[in-house]
């Protein structure tokens, strides 16, 4: 993974010093409330319903064991002993004291982490495919490019005060696991049809929130050397022409819609042509320097049973005792479920990708205790070359585990309540903090998430229903991405009462789609049962190998509506 | 298009990027409001109609409006303006290093700003990123 040089370190250290000084001047009454708000947001610090919340950047979802250990230390020392992974691969602390935050930032800087621009109207942390570097379907590793974007965007002098927040995601794989269509800029590494060179397809203007929009391709092919110049040009057009008067019209998606993607693209090209050969051009030497930060780990050779055998083929058949013997004393059903759902294919024979579920009955989706952070850091050292990934689905990943050691790892994870076998299933839901923590929340998304978890935990039906993404937001701002869930759940306030609306058919993959409303809002205690009904309708109606999403796409909302509301009731 | 503003200059402190320069606050020859003028052709016309001024002031209506930053980039880089470029308006300590790096060389600090804090803000970061290169403020 990327390691800081002395200059990178000096920038992060100076940022800590700057924020310490800003807190001092704020406490002395020298910075007004509204200005301090903007300054602290750009250091990841929100003021929530009960307390401050600090959002720490996990650049493109990559963490070292030392960093994870330090996050555990911070949770223990400055918070209530836990932390929360977000839908943009970041981590949040929910209870820091303002006067401790400079010290927390210094603790982070000591392990090459920061909270720079994790909030505010600026370029946020760049996210990426959480299987970068280990996926079999990868054309090129996106992480070196993400790190370049991180550096370009960090304290960028021109784009620190944009009309609204700005999010960039990058994928280098055939299957989009980074949801690029729902980002302000989505970047996809592609191969040129003639030259076979690798470059970028550039998407712009996607986003969820109050006005969900699937992004549009603004450039089919971009020379990789021009990446920073081109996104700089996009930001320049947005910075001067984006709407600054109305907050809900300020995202770039509204500008792209107003101008039309062709006119927008022309304006970007005009800017791009002026700066293309300038200091943002990436030289071959620079690219090599960044790529050198992401070498493959020292994989053991010859672990695959047959040379060239693909693990995903074996995984499709279900890993069995031959590859990973049943650990002593383990529940064979639970272990097989874990192998089936939490263990994925790796590009190197003999290795697997293990997803650590942060979804279980007794926690909010994405929550992790200080003890678990520390334990996982040790497990990463023992089993996965000291590396951990965070996913935008609020789970963690050990990316490089020998298949022969899966049983051993399973038992260790189980001991720390980190082996819930539910990845990709209904209870692997994502949810925003909602009314319980957030100032904006209209309804308690976490309570409904807990209902769902409890209803399905360990149930055979969970496994019969199979792959479903459930995404839940506690208000229309859509931090829980409900429009992009196969089942989307939106909390609203109906005349002082909490209520939940359900959407069906959203997706964030290669064929992105926005969900459609199922029917009238439900009371909070009706949601889990309604979701089970949706599963029942699918089990009854599905054909052959259809997934839940396939069936929804084939049949539309109607049969699901009828299942939940009864046939006579109109939406 | 851009009527000169009647700023009460005495109430402000002018800080020059070259901290050794004791600049005196005089009215700039041309004042630009990014709300009204931000495109390269419009900026170019404005400069020509003002007979190529040696000093341009760019208005920052509120610190959280980043348009002045792009205007400065366009003046310096696209139009090759080499005269004085002054940030006026809602300019405080915590915005200076951003403004300095897009090409402003003087800042009319808002009332009550502590000049020592402002100087410290301009020297705090040893280097900044420019794309994937790094640069110090003084060589920018």
């Amino acid at each position: 993974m990327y390691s800081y040089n002395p200059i990178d370190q000096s920038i992060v250290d100076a940022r800590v010093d700057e924020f310490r000084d800003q807190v001092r001047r704020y406490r002395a009454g020298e910075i007004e409330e509204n200005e301090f708000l903007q300054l602290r947001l750009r250091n990841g610090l929100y003021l929530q319903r009960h307390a401050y919340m600090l959002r720490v950047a996990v650049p493109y979802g990559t963490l070292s064991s030392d960093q994870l250990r330090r996050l555990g230390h911070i949770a223990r020392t400055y918070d209530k002993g836990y932390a929360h992974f977000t839908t943009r691969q970041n981590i949040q602390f929910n209870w820091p004291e303002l006067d401790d935050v400079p010290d927390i930032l210094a603790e982070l800087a000591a392990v090459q982490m920061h909270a720079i621009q994790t909030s505010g109207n600026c370029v946020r942390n760049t996210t990426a495919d959480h299987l970068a570097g280990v996926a079999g379907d990868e054309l090129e590793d996106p992480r070196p490019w993400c790190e370049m974007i991180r550096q370009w965007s960090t304290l960028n002098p021109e784009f620190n005060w944009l009309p609204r927040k700005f999010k960039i995601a990058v994928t280098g794989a055939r299957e989009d696991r980074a949801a690029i269509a729902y980002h302000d800029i989505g970047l996809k590494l592609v191969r040129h049809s003639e030259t076979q060179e690798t470059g970028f397809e550039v998407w712009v203007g996607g986003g969820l929130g109050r006005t969900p929009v699937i992004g549009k391709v603004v450039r089919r092919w971009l020379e990789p050397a021009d990446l920073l110049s081109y996104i700089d040009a996009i930001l320049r057009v947005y910075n001067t022409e984006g709407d600054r008067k109305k907050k809900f019209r300020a995202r770039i998606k509204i500008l792209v819609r107003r101008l039309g993607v062709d006119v927008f693209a022309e304006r970007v090209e005009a800017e791009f042509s002026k700066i293309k050969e300038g200091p943002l051009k990436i030289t071959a030497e620079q690219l090599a320097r960044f790529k050198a930060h992401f070498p493959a780990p020292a994989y053991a050779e010859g672990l695959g049973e047959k040379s060239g055998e693909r693990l995903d083929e074996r995984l499709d058949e279900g890993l069995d005792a031959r590859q990973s013997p049943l650990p002593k004393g383990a529940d064979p059903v639970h272990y097989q479920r874990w192998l089936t759902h939490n263990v994925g294919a790796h590009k190197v024979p003999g290795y697997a990708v293990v997803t650590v579920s942060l979804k279980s009955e007794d926690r909010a989706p994405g929550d992790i205790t200080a003890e678990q952070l520390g334990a996982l850091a040790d497990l990463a050292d023992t089993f996965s070359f000291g590396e951990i990934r965070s996913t935008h689905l609020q789970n963690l990943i050990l990316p490089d585990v020998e298949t022969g050691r899966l049983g051993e790892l399973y038992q260790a994870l189980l001991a720390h309540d980190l082996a819930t076998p539910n990845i990709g299933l209904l209870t692997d839901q994502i949810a925003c903090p909602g009314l319980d923590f957030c100032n904006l929340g209209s309804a308690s998304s976490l309570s409904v998430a807990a209902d769902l978890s409890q209803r399905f935990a360990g149930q055979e039906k969970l496994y019969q229903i199979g792959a479903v993404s459930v995404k839940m937001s506690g208000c229309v701002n859509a931090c829980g991405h409900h429009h992009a869930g196969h089942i989307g759940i939106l909390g609203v306030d109906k005349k002082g009462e909490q209520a939940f609306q359900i959407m069906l058919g959203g997706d964030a993959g290669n064929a992105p789609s926005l969900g459609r409303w199922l029917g009238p809002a439900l009371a909070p205690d009706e949601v889990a049962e309604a979701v089970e009904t949706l599963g029942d309708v699918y089990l009854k109606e599905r054909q052959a190998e259809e997934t839940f999403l396939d069936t929804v796409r084939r049949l539309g909302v109607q049969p699901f509506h009828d299942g939940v509301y009864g046939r006579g009731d109109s939406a | 298009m851009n009527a000169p503003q009647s700023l009460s200059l005495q109430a402000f402190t002018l800080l020059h990027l070259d901290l050794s320069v004791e600049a005196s606050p005089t009215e700039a020859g041309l004042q630009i409001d990014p709300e009204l003028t931000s495109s390269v052709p419009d900026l170019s016309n404005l400069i020509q109609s003002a007979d190529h001024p040696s000093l341009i002031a760019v208005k920052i209506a509120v610190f959280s409006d980043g348009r002045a930053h792009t205007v400065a980039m366009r003046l310096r880089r696209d139009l090759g303006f080499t005269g004085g470029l002054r940030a006026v308006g809602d300019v405080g300590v915590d915005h200076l290093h951003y403004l300095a790096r897009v090409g402003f060389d003087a800042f009319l600090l808002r009332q009550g700003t502590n000049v020592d804090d402002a100087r410290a803000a301009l020297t705090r970061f040893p280097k900044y990123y420019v794309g994937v290169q790094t640069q110090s403020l003084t060589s920018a």
Side-chain angles (χ1 to χ4, degrees):
Chain A
M1 58 187 286
Y2 187 77
S3 62
Y4 286 2
N5 63 34
I7 294 175
D8 300 322
Q9 187 68 49
S10 73
I11 290 171
V12 171
D13 290 343
R15 181 66 164 187
V16 177
D17 182 60
E18 180 187 52
F19 190 64
R20 198 180 290 282
D21 188 54
Q22 287 167 347
V23 172
R24 175 188 66 78
R25 286 184 284 122
Y26 170 68
R27 288 299 198 197
E30 293 169 21
I31 305 180
E32 286 184 14
E33 195 65 47
N34 179 52
E35 186 168 358
F36 184 66
L37 163 83
Q38 294 300 330
L39 298 174
R40 67 170 159 76
L41 287 178
R42 282 161 180 73
N43 288 283
L45 192 62
Y46 285 74
L47 187 54
Q48 295 287 56
R49 191 171 285 272
H50 310 290
Y52 282 100
M53 178 273 277
L54 179 66
R55 180 182 297 151
V56 176
V58 180
Y60 35 96
T62 301
L63 286 159
S64 71
S65 54
D66 283 345
Q67 291 174 332
L68 206 65
R69 231 171 252 120
R70 184 61 60 102
L71 293 168
H73 165 74
I74 290 169
R76 218 171 6 250
T77 312
Y78 301 95
D79 206 283
K80 294 187 176 181
Y82 72 100
H84 174 79
F85 281 96
T86 76
T87 56
R88 291 200 76 253
Q89 300 182 298
N90 293 323
I91 186 166
Q92 295 179 176
F93 295 99
N94 281 310
W95 306 95
E97 296 288 344
L98 173 60
D99 294 307
D100 285 339
V101 173
D103 292 339
I104 299 174
L105 295 177
E107 296 253 19
L108 292 167
V111 290
Q112 308 191 353
M113 295 187 81
H114 61 74
I116 299 169
Q117 292 167 208
T118 54
S119 180
N121 296 337
C122 51
V123 181
R124 304 288 189 85
N125 182 36
T126 296
T127 55
D129 184 353
H130 46 251
L131 300 185
V134 298
D137 69 341
E138 189 170 85
L139 181 66
E140 187 177 320
D141 189 341
R143 292 172 299 171
W145 302 102
C146 292
E147 177 57 27
M148 290 190 233
I149 295 170
R150 185 189 76 81
Q151 296 193 10
W152 160 83
S153 64
T154 296
L155 310 187
N156 186 302
E158 192 179 351
F159 307 130
N160 197 52
W161 302 99
L162 297 169
R164 199 74 179 83
K165 59 187 169 184
F166 203 93
K167 300 174 181 178
I168 302 175
V170 191
T171 180
R174 272 189 290 278
E175 183 189 341
D176 177 10
R177 288 173 289 259
I180 61 165
Y182 293 118
H183 282 76
D184 296 288
I185 293 178
L187 297 165
K188 182 175 186 178
L189 282 152
V190 292
R191 210 186 286 288
H192 194 283
S193 55
E194 286 157 26
T195 64
Q196 299 300 306
E197 272 180 284
T198 311
F200 288 96
E201 181 177 275
V202 184
W203 292 56
V204 72
L208 295 169
R210 287 169 185 243
T211 314
V213 179
I214 293 171
K216 295 184 175 60
V217 176
V218 68
R219 214 175 205 272
R220 287 271 165 217
W221 171 259
L222 179 69
E223 291 287 339
D226 295 331
L227 177 68
L228 297 178
S229 311
Y230 191 76
I231 60 180
D232 200 81
I234 292 176
L235 265 296
R236 184 160 303 111
V237 172
Y238 172 54
N239 191 37
T240 47
E241 300 196 40
D243 193 329
R244 286 176 182 270
K245 292 199 171 74
K246 293 196 185 78
K247 189 178 177 185
F248 301 124
R249 300 184 50 78
R251 292 289 288 269
I252 195 173
K253 60 192 172 188
I254 308 293
L255 176 65
V256 172
R257 195 165 67 180
R258 177 161 64 78
L259 294 177
V261 71
D262 294 337
V263 172
F264 178 81
E266 281 169 23
R267 298 200 185 175
V268 172
E269 290 296 328
E271 291 293 339
F272 176 52
S273 65
K274 283 183 249 170
I275 60 173
K276 199 169 177 277
E277 303 305 325
L280 298 185
K281 184 144 195 158
I282 299 163
T283 65
E285 203 177 15
Q286 288 163 346
L287 179 56
R289 174 162 65 85
F290 279 81
K291 284 188 171 176
H293 279 275
F294 300 91
Y299 294 121
E301 280 176 30
L303 287 180
E305 288 157 314
K306 287 180 282 178
S307 147
E309 181 183 29
R310 287 179 56 98
L311 182 66
D312 52 355
E313 287 167 9
R314 280 192 286 141
L315 285 171
D316 284 346
E317 297 156 14
L319 268 176
D320 61 26
R322 273 183 301 121
Q323 286 88 21
S324 1
L326 180 69
K328 209 175 164 193
D331 171 352
V333 174
H334 192 271
Y335 180 53
Q336 184 59 54
R337 282 174 174 170
W338 182 80
L339 287 176
T340 304
H341 298 288
N342 294 34
V343 179
H346 194 289
K347 68 177 183 185
V348 175
Y351 283 85
V353 177
V354 171
T355 304
V356 177
S357 175
L358 300 184
K359 321 291 173 66
S360 57
E361 305 100 280
D362 51 358
R363 73 171 104 211
D367 273 11
I368 186 165
T369 66
E371 181 269 328
Q372 288 170 328
L373 285 163
L376 208 47
D378 293 344
L379 293 178
D381 282 336
T382 309
F383 291 96
S384 191
F385 301 97
E387 194 187 328
I388 303 97
R389 308 282 178 84
S390 55
T391 79
H392 75 93
L393 303 168
Q394 299 182 283
N395 291 312
L396 295 175
I397 281 179
L398 296 172
D400 298 295
V401 180
E402 288 181 26
T403 51
R405 302 181 72 191
L406 286 167
E408 200 187 332
L409 174 60
Y410 164 77
Q411 286 205 305
L413 289 170
L414 199 60
H416 295 284
D417 189 23
L418 291 169
T420 311
N422 65 346
I423 298 306
L425 303 177
L426 217 150
T427 53
D428 183 15
Q429 53 195 330
I430 71 163
C432 70
L435 188 63
D436 297 282
F437 291 96
C438 180
N439 280 334
L440 305 172
S442 310
S444 175
S445 37
L446 294 185
S447 304
V448 170
D451 284 354
L452 263 178
S453 279
Q454 284 155 15
R455 190 176 193 95
F456 285 97
Q459 297 296 312
E460 186 55 35
K461 195 183 269 183
L462 179 67
Y463 299 94
Q464 290 167 351
I465 294 170
V468 188
S469 75
V470 176
K471 298 181 194 271
M472 199 176 312
S473 307
C475 82
V476 293
N477 292 301
C479 295
H481 305 168
H482 58 275
H483 307 99
H486 302 167
I487 299 175
I489 301 175
L490 167 65
V492 294
D493 180 307
K494 280 183 85 177
K495 296 175 186 158
E497 298 285 323
Q498 292 185 37
F500 288 84
Q501 294 182 317
I502 294 182
M503 305 190 94
L504 277 188
D507 192 45
N510 280 18
S513 54
L514 295 167
R516 295 178 55 204
W517 297 114
L518 181 70
L522 302 169
D525 60 2
E526 296 171 332
V527 177
E529 188 183 348
V531 170
E532 182 164 356
T533 304
L534 297 174
D536 289 337
V537 172
Y538 156 68
L539 291 175
K540 181 165 157 265
E541 300 287 348
R542 71 174 166 189
Q543 294 178 352
E545 299 292 302
E546 272 187 347
T547 62
F548 180 86
L549 182 63
D550 294 335
T551 304
V552 170
R553 283 181 170 167
R554 177 171 57 82
L555 294 177
V557 163
Q558 196 62 43
F560 295 91
H561 166 94
D562 293 348
V564 171
Y565 298 97
R567 205 166 279 277
D569 195 353
S570 69
Chain B
M1 193 183 292
N2 281 272
Q5 299 159 310
S6 52
L7 287 167
S8 168
L9 293 174
Q10 285 70 26
F12 294 79
T13 307
L14 185 71
L15 184 71
H16 202 278
L17 180 57
D18 180 349
L19 297 173
S20 64
V21 174
E22 292 282 335
S24 64
T26 51
E27 292 276 4
L30 174 64
Q31 299 224 11
I32 291 175
D33 182 350
E35 170 95 38
L36 305 170
T37 315
S38 64
S39 76
V40 173
D42 288 353
L43 291 168
S44 175
N45 288 339
L46 206 59
I47 289 176
Q48 280 170 25
S49 66
D51 202 17
H52 299 276
S54 59
L55 177 62
I56 296 178
V58 180
K59 179 182 164 186
I60 296 174
V62 53
F63 71 86
S64 55
D65 186 335
R67 283 179 289 192
H69 302 66
T70 289
V71 165
M73 286 291 275
R74 285 177 167 164
L75 289 171
R76 289 293 195 210
R77 194 195 50 213
D78 300 340
L79 297 169
F81 178 69
T82 54
L85 193 57
R86 185 175 292 184
V88 301
D90 192 13
V91 180
V93 170
D94 299 289
H95 315 296
L96 296 179
H97 67 77
Y98 299 98
L99 292 167
R101 285 182 288 140
V102 292
F104 288 100
D105 58 8
F107 317 93
L108 208 49
L109 299 173
R110 66 185 170 217
Q111 219 164 343
T113 303
N114 180 323
V115 177
D116 290 336
D117 289 340
R119 288 175 199 274
L122 281 170
T123 51
R124 175 170 287 117
F125 288 86
K127 295 265 185 177
Y128 300 93
Y129 297 113
V130 178
V132 294
Q133 304 176 50
T134 54
Q135 217 168 51
S136 61
L137 191 52
T138 44
S139 67

